[in-house]
Amino acid sequence: MTESLLYIVSTPIGNLGDMTPRAVEVLERVDVIAAEDTRHSKRLMSHFGINTPLIPCHDHNERQQAESIVNRMRNGASVALISDAGTPLISDPGFYLVRAVREAGFRVVPVPGACAFVAALSVSGLPTDRFFFEGFLPAKSGARRKRMEVLSAFEHTWGVYESPHRILDSLEDLQAVLGDEHYIVIAREITKTFETVLAGSVSDVLERVRSDSNQQRGEFVVLVEGNKKEKSSEITPEIQKMLQRLLEELPIKKAAAVVADLTGLRKKALYEHGLTFKDND
């Protein structure tokens, strides 16, 4: 008997050439496709000649559909989950379904592909060794600015999705929170005909978007450079106490690494400082 599986299938975010052969094969092979918007997905299925039945699975019915899908799988069916575009569950519904399927004892299999945030990040020129994805910010300016203030403390790159009717307001809020000179990147209509990537200071990008109505259309990824404020290199009395306490339990190298991770200070300086404690023992 063939194993019943739930496939999480990525679909193109614009350019249909980004549909992978494996995604087409899986969508043709499964018994049913759970789609965020069946009307939207019918066009994609038609383009690739996929005739698998579609059922709706979105924010408003996911819990009910999860039960139905699990029952289908218990009866031997395999199911694919797709969103309107890109990788399902990335600021889209689906996590409740995935959890329900896993708790029912079935495997969940990813079929990787396009993701607007990752695509934008890859061409941003911003550091990518660490990054944070916020999803969508609050719709109201006051709440949006409060969240931006929290995010502005991050030392690594962070990013959000934004809609065309809020992009100007969001950029103005970024200017108010980060100042004029902070470096940002906005990617618009990734992989589509009018794909645009704008990079520069907040004030420069805001002015370019404000002065060109075409740059206010489409779907946006907004990426922000992390906080680059230099940390103090001083080993304060509080840090000395922390290091000294850790040295009671850990080797110098390990204790220095832990304190460096917590404070941002250089491991070498902390290691050398730790040696002075040992010398005085």
Side-chain angles (χ1 to χ4, degrees):
M1 182 176 176
T2 305
E3 181 184 8
S4 294
L5 301 170
L6 172 64
Y7 294 93
I8 308 302
V9 182
S10 299
T11 56
I13 54 178
N15 191 319
L16 293 177
D18 293 333
M19 187 77 159
T20 68
R22 184 183 174 209
V24 173
E25 178 190 349
V26 167
L27 294 175
E28 288 175 332
R29 191 174 70 238
V30 295
D31 298 284
V32 67
I33 300 168
E36 187 179 2
D37 183 336
T38 56
R39 293 168 302 177
H40 176 89
S41 295
K42 277 179 183 176
R43 294 193 291 273
L44 182 70
M45 298 303 110
S46 176
H47 179 85
F48 288 101
I50 298 168
N51 298 312
T52 307
L54 292 165
I55 60 171
C57 186
H58 45 70
D59 279 329
H60 304 295
N61 75 345
E62 184 182 355
R63 290 176 181 266
Q64 292 79 12
Q65 281 291 40
E67 183 178 351
S68 172
I69 287 170
V70 167
N71 286 334
R72 286 173 183 263
M73 296 179 73
R74 287 188 177 125
N75 289 322
S78 283
V79 180
L81 175 69
I82 61 174
S83 62
D84 287 348
T87 300
L89 282 83
I90 307 302
S91 278
D92 281 323
F95 92 88
Y96 184 87
L97 170 62
V98 168
R99 183 173 294 183
V101 167
R102 291 179 64 85
E103 288 177 351
F106 297 101
R107 282 204 299 137
V108 182
V109 179
V111 181
C115 174
F117 178 77
V118 174
L121 188 66
S122 72
V123 297
S124 68
L126 291 168
T128 57
D129 53 330
R130 293 178 66 203
F131 54 85
F132 180 81
F133 175 55
E134 175 72 5
F136 285 94
L137 289 165
K140 294 186 177 179
S141 180
R144 191 163 56 234
R145 289 191 185 192
K146 284 183 180 179
R147 186 57 190 163
M148 285 177 174
E149 286 169 0
V150 173
L151 295 169
S152 69
F154 288 7
E155 296 172 18
H156 45 272
T157 301
W158 56 273
V160 301
Y161 286 156
E162 194 50 274
S163 59
H165 64 277
R166 282 204 301 262
I167 186 62
L168 271 179
D169 290 341
S170 283
L171 289 175
E172 288 168 357
D173 288 339
L174 272 178
Q175 185 180 43
V177 171
L178 299 174
D180 289 337
E181 299 305 317
H182 201 96
Y183 191 84
I184 66 169
V185 177
I186 63 169
R188 181 178 73 94
E189 295 290 85
I190 292 286
T191 80
K192 299 176 185 175
T193 302
F194 298 105
E195 174 183 283
T196 309
V197 178
L198 300 179
S201 67
V202 176
S203 59
D204 176 51
V205 172
L206 173 58
E207 182 53 36
R208 290 159 76 183
V209 174
R210 185 184 281 145
S211 62
D212 183 355
S213 61
N214 287 324
Q215 297 302 325
Q216 300 168 32
R217 297 172 182 165
E219 301 299 322
F220 295 84
V221 181
V222 181
L223 297 164
V224 180
E225 187 171 38
N227 190 326
K228 295 171 69 174
K229 290 180 181 176
E230 292 187 8
K231 294 183 177 180
S232 170
S233 60
E234 180 185 0
I235 299 176
T236 64
E238 291 76 15
I239 293 174
Q240 289 184 36
K241 288 179 184 178
M242 183 193 307
L243 181 60
Q244 196 164 15
R245 177 67 185 88
L246 286 171
L247 287 171
E248 294 175 9
E249 309 290 339
L250 300 172
I252 297 178
K253 187 175 181 180
K254 182 63 176 176
V258 171
V259 176
D261 187 54
L262 293 172
T263 65
L265 296 176
R266 292 172 60 242
K267 281 191 289 188
K268 183 179 179 182
L270 290 161
Y271 180 86
E272 291 172 351
H273 199 76
L275 289 175
T276 64
F277 291 134
K278 290 293 185 181
D279 292 341
N280 292 330
D281 284 349

